Amino acid sequence: MPQTVCATDRVYLVTGGNAGIGYFTAEQLAGTGATVVLGSRSAPRADAAMAAIRARVPGARVRSVGLDLADLGSLQATVDSLEVGRLDAVVHNAGVFLEGTEPKRTGDGNEMHFGTNHLGHFALTYWLMPLLEAAQDARIVTVGSFAAKSERLDLDDLQSRTDYQAKRTYARSKLAQMYFGLELDRRLRAAGSTVSSVVVHPGGALESLTPSRPPVHVRKAGTALRMAPVGLVLQGKHAGARPAVRAVLDPRIAGGELWGPRVFGLRGRPHRERLWTQLTDTETAQRLWQASADLTGVAPTAARR
Ligand SMILES: NC(=O)c1ccc[n+]([C@@H]2O[C@H](COP(=O)([O-])OP(=O)(O)OC[C@H]3O[C@@H](n4cnc5c(N)ncnc54)[C@H](OP(=O)(O)O)[C@@H]3O)[C@@H](O)[C@H]2O)c1
């Protein structure tokens, strides 16, 4: 569906558009004729991704801006460097998933997963809001994770100071993002904004099931055959991008919805999911919002209409 959509006058930003699911999100959106801006913390990796997109999508309108979500003080300058009058959608895709037992912190002193994945996108949304409101019916698409489904937020320990396990802290940061995306939509609706916020997740998306896009990603010979049984359960990153791409392009999708892959939430075509039980807890969402505003010093607000 999305590849047939024509969106030549649209401008989209994809955070972490230089690699993985973000790369494929950008490639698929570029296929609609839209201008796609890759938010990337590495100019050489962004250049490689743009070359790969241009090789697949002749005439692709793609460019990049420097983006480091772990540096909250840099985000206003990133938005200024977009040099656009309006933004039709942003895909909050970038994410860190660390290994090891020792927590890492951003330069702002926040736990790295929570600080980058959640607080970085929370603050970025604040700076982007005037551009989104200047577009007609703009969308904010937040990429969550299936890993968050079995998690609960600890509002008294959002920075995992007393209970750091990399995998769990990552999953909680993704859950925080999903609460944010839903709470944001409630606030946009209350303000009568034309901007909407949709939450998606990519299922299980593995490099080894992902087609080559040199120089961004090269699948080794024989991997496709060896991984075929895994492909019955999980998918590649090109497929993992589809819920986000659909959420950007499909006008039938409404703010406040959750979309993920059809087959057990792990693979397959995008479909709408019922909100997971913990995500219906609006009090937790509101408390997280307030804590995020306190930690970042900003809070996304829509101009009241
Ligand atoms: N793959 C899965 O199965 C899966 C499942 C559930 C959810 N997700 C979510 O889907 C999203 C994409 O995952 P992926 O598998 O494509 O991951 P990936 O291949 O590791 O790509 C992550 C992207 O995020 C960027 N990034 C990391 N830290 C950043 C920062 N401080 N500022 C700006 N960009 C930063 C990376 O940039 P660099 O190239 O500079 O590192 C890269 O472009 C993530 O939000 C992830 O949590 C993935």
Side-chain angles (χ1 to χ4, degrees):
M1 184 286 298
Q3 279 78 1
T4 60
V5 171
C6 180
T8 46
D9 57 343
R10 304 288 173 90
V11 186
Y12 304 134
L13 170 65
V14 182
T15 71
N18 62 279
I21 293 166
Y23 166 82
F24 284 96
T25 303
E27 182 191 288
Q28 289 165 30
L29 290 174
T32 67
T35 297
V36 181
V37 186
L38 314 183
S40 172
R41 58 182 170 173
S42 155
R45 285 198 288 277
D47 288 345
M50 289 190 290
I53 291 173
R54 289 190 183 110
R56 300 284 304 184
V57 183
R61 298 182 211 193
V62 59
R63 55 195 181 81
S64 70
V65 290
L67 169 70
D68 185 355
L69 290 161
D71 179 3
L72 296 175
S74 69
L75 298 179
Q76 182 179 13
T78 289
V79 171
D80 289 345
S81 71
L82 282 170
E83 294 183 343
V84 292
R86 58 160 225 278
L87 187 65
D88 294 280
V90 56
V91 181
H92 288 333
N93 159 82
V96 279
F97 181 11
L98 303 175
E99 291 173 347
T101 53
E102 285 304 308
K104 291 202 170 117
R105 304 216 163 263
T106 67
D108 302 304
N110 296 303
E111 188 284 319
M112 188 63 78
H113 297 95
F114 182 69
T116 305
N117 302 352
H118 172 59
L119 294 179
H121 283 120
F122 181 89
L124 179 65
T125 307
Y126 168 81
W127 294 112
L128 287 174
M129 198 54 82
L131 293 178
L132 292 160
E133 294 208 291
Q136 214 185 353
D137 301 328
R139 292 228 165 136
I140 298 158
V141 177
T142 296
V143 180
S145 173
F146 192 78
K149 194 167 187 176
S150 52
E151 275 301 336
R152 297 290 181 273
L153 276 193
D154 182 350
L155 287 162
D156 296 323
D157 191 20
L158 288 171
Q159 307 265 9
S160 300
R161 288 184 199 279
T162 57
D163 173 26
Y164 181 81
Q165 299 164 48
K167 202 170 163 186
R168 182 163 209 201
T169 297
Y170 161 78
R172 287 181 169 182
S173 76
K174 301 306 292 180
L175 183 58
Q177 287 190 264
M178 297 173 88
Y179 272 118
F180 160 66
L182 297 171
E183 177 64 16
L184 176 62
D185 195 70
R186 283 189 287 273
R187 288 173 185 246
L188 290 168
R189 298 287 68 73
S193 176
T194 56
V195 182
S196 56
S197 167
V198 180
V199 178
V200 301
H201 73 91
L206 303 182
E207 291 273 346
S208 50
L209 293 170
T210 303
S212 288
R213 290 293 190 270
V216 176
H217 164 68
V218 179
R219 185 159 60 173
K220 292 192 191 100
T223 306
L225 202 59
R226 209 173 50 253
M227 293 302 290
V230 182
L232 297 172
V233 186
L234 304 175
Q235 57 188 359
K237 297 201 177 190
H238 59 308
R242 287 179 190 144
V245 172
R246 175 115 183 234
V248 169
L249 297 178
D250 189 341
R252 294 165 300 182
I253 293 180
E257 293 184 3
L258 169 64
W259 283 69
R262 184 177 299 272
V263 185
F264 302 122
L266 289 174
R267 65 178 293 275
R269 294 176 54 184
H271 83 146
R272 185 179 173 188
E273 291 188 18
R274 281 171 69 108
L275 285 192
W276 305 340
T277 311
Q278 71 274 47
L279 290 174
T280 61
D281 177 359
T282 54
E283 193 191 323
T284 293
Q286 284 167 25
R287 289 179 61 196
L288 172 68
W289 185 282
Q290 189 53 54
S292 306
D294 293 344
L295 286 163
T296 60
V298 295
T301 38
R304 199 164 280 279
R305 285 168 196 264

